[in-house]
Amino acid sequence: MFSVKKIILAAVMVLTLSPVLLYASYVPTGRDTLENPETLTDIPAADFDEGGYAELSDNVNFTFWWQEARDVLVVLDKRNGYVWKTGLDVDSTVTQTTQATVCKDARSQYRNGDITYDAFAEACEIEVDTITGTTTGPLVANSLMFFKYYRKGDSESTWEEKEVYSSYLKTALYDVDSTLRMVDGDENRWRFTFAVTGLGVKDANLDLTIPADILLSEDGFEIVVDFESIEGTCLPYLSAIGVATFMGAVGGRSAVFTTFDTDGETLANYDVTEVQNDLIGGYSLVPDGPGALIRYRDNSVSLTKYSAVVYGPDASQNNPEYFSWQGSFVPYKTATVPVYGMAHGNDQAAFVAYAEAGAEYMSVVSVPEETIYNYNYTYALFSTNFTFQRIFSHDGADTVQSIGETLNPCDIHMHYDFLAGDGTVDGYPANYVGMALKYKDFLIERGELSLQDRAAGDIGIRLDFLMADSEESIVGYTLDVVTTASQVGDILDDVIAGGIANVSSGLIGWADGGVTLGNPTKAVFTSAIGTKRAFADLIEEYAGRGVDISFQQDYATINEEQINPLRNAAKHPSGWYATVLSYESPIALFMFARPTKSILWLSEQSDTFLSMGVASLTLDGISNTLITDYTGDITTRTAAIALYREAVADVADEATINAVRPNGYLLPYVGRYLQMDVYTTQYLIETDTVPFLQLVLQGTMELYAGYSNFSFYTRSDVLRMIDYNVWPSFVLTHDAAYHLSDTNSSDYYSTEYALYEDLIRSIYQDTNAALGAVTDAVWIDRDVIRAGLVRNLYDDGTAIYINYTDEDQNAGGIHVPALSAAVIGGD
C-alpha cells in the first residue's frame, strides 16, 4: 500500500471531461459503490474449550474447532480475534416454547417461596433465537452440508424436491449419522461423512452417503466432494448439494425473556419480546456482472433472493420445456466466475469462497433477511439433477414431468479463504478488493491467469464494424450491406489521422448472409461486402500500421435458415432441439450448436482466417454459452468445457483471442475481454456495484467496456471506465443504421461513423489521459472516500481519484473538480 503522504507529494494531473451536461445533486444508486460499512466495535473473545467443541488443528493464523452435536466448523482467526462458523451454532433444544416452560416453573417456585427472585430471573432471563421455533430452522442453520432429492408428490405424475440436513438433532422424517474423522493421522485433513437412511421415493426407504474431505490451512479451509464416492439407493434422485449455507450469516431475531416483580411475590411474572438482532455493518459479494454487493439491512419489504447459475443457465437443464422465450428486456448478467464472499465490519473480517471444481454446476444464492429465518446468508449450491417435461407425442403435447436419467458428474471443491484487517500486512484487505486480489492470485498460481508484460503508453480502443445482415424479401432473403471492406479502411484512416493508433477491430457480419445467416461452418465471402482478397489486403495493410483486424463469429447460436439443425443442433432431454423463441425478425427461432460441432467450425474457419494473415480471432457464443447436449452420447457441461478449452488453446497458439464476455474457463487463453459489464442486473436486493471482475483480470488481458454509442457516453460513463479500468469500444457502420431496421440487427440502432467521429476521439482522449498512466501498473486497492468520490491505487504509487458528483471535492489535500478524474503521482 502507498501512504497518503507519498501521494500528496507527487505531481497532480486533472482531467476535465467533455461534453458539457446539466447536473443535479449527486444521489447514489445501486449502480454506485457506497461508503465503507460501519466498524465493528465489539468482537467478544470466545472460549471453545467447553460446550462440546473439539479442537481439530492450530496454525499461525487459525484455530479450528468442531461442534459435534451440531455439525459446525468453527474458525478462530488469530489475526483479528474474529470467529467464523459454518452454521449459526444454535441450540435447537432451547426454543420459545421450552423456555416459557422454564419461566413458568421458576415463577411458581418463586411465588411459593422456594427460590429467590434472583434465582427466578437467572433461570428465566435469556435470549432465544427465533429460528429454533421454525420446523427446519435449526437444521438449516447448523448443518455443514445439505442435499436435495426428488420424490413423488401427492400426484404420481409430479416430482417434488425435499431437503435433508447434516445436523443431527433430527426430524422424524429421516435418520442421519454424520461423523467427522481424521484422515491418515493428519490433523489438517478430516473426513466428514453425511449418511442418511429412511428417504422416501415412491414410498421406498432409500439411503445416501456423501463423504466430504475438509482440508485446513493457513488460508482457511476447503471442502472437497468426489462425486464418484457418493453412494446409496437414493443417488439417482439426488438433485443438489449445498455447503456451508449459514457461514457468516447476519441478522436473525431473538425472543428476549425478561422478569419483573412490582409488588412482591403475587405479581412476579415475565415478558417475551421479539427483537431484531443487530445487523452488523457488512455485505455479501455476488458475481452479478462486474460484481454486486448486498448490504446487511433490515428490509421493510420482502425481497427476492439472488440466485445465479455460474457460466449462465443451461438451456437443456434449467428450462423444463425444450423451448424458452427471449424477452424484450435487457438480458440478465451472467455469473462468469464461481466466486462469492462476505465482509463483516470496515476492513476487519471477510472471507472469499470459490470453486476449484464443480463450477459448471454451481449456483450462488444470497438470501435477504426478510424470510422465515430472518437472516442474511449466502452460499454455493451444486446441481446434480433436474426436472423436465418429457414428450411422448409428435406434436409435443401431453408432456410428463420427469427427472434426468444421467446425473451431472459434479465433483465439488470449494475454498474458503479468510481476510483480516486493512491489507497492510498481506495485501488482502477484508473487503471486496481483498476478495478479488486473493482470487486473482489463486488463478495465477493455478496457471489460469498470468500478468502481461506491458510498457507504459496509450491504452487501446476497440472499433468493431457491423458489415451486413439479411432481411426477408418476396423470395428468400436479401443482404443489407452497411459497411464494405474498403469502407472499413476509410474509417480507420480517419481514426488514425485523428491521433488514435492503438486500435483493434472485429468484423461482424462479414460473411455472405451477414450476421444472422452467415454460415459458421466455413468462410463464405461475397463481393457485396468484400472478397477474400479484399479482406486479406485490408488486414495486411493495417497490420503494418499497428491496427489489428479480426473476423468475429458466433459458434454457439444457429438457426435453420442458416444451417440444417440435423446433427448440428443440441438436443434437450425431451428429445427435441433446445430452442429460443425471440421477438426478432425475420428470424425468430434460434437453436444451440452442439459443442462438438462448435469446435469443429472454429477450427475450420480459423484455418481460413489465419491463412489470410489475421493476428487475432474474435469469439462469441462459445465464449459465454454452455449447454448440455443430449444428442446420442450426452455431452455434459464438464465435457463441453474441456472441448472448448482444448479448441481455443489450439488457436490461441496462433493468434490473440478476443472474446465476448468469456466465462471463467476460457480466461487462460483470452488476450482481449470484450463487452465487459460495468453494471449489474440491478436486482432490488443488490445495493452496490463494484469492479470485482475488473480487479481480478486487470493486468492479465486488455479489458474493453460495452459499446459507448449505446447509451454509454455520458460524463459519468466515461468516469466509470476510468474507475473500472476498462478501455472504450464502439460498433460502427459506414451507412446509417436504419438500413438494418428490417433485419435481426435492428437493435444496433445508432452506429453510423459520421455521428460518432468526434465522440470517439473525445472519449478516447479522456480515458487515455487517466488510464494511460497505469497501463504498466497493477491495481491494488479501491476506496470510496465519500459518496461519489473514489480513489484507486496502483502498485507504482499512482492514485486516480474519480469524482462522480457535480461539486468539486477535496481529499487529503487533493482537489478533484466536479465530474472529473485526477491522476496523482506514480513512478
Side-chain angles (χ1 to χ4, degrees), residues 138 166 559:
S166 67
N559 63 80

Side-chain angles (χ1 to χ4, degrees), residues 454-461 499-502 702 704 727 764-765 767-769 771-776:
R454 280 188 55 84
D458 293 337
I459 66 171
I461 190 171
I500 304 175
N502 191 6
E702 296 177 11
Y704 291 90
W727 300 350
Y764 179 80
Q765 290 168 359
T767 53
N768 188 50
L771 297 180
V774 292
T775 55
D776 60 340

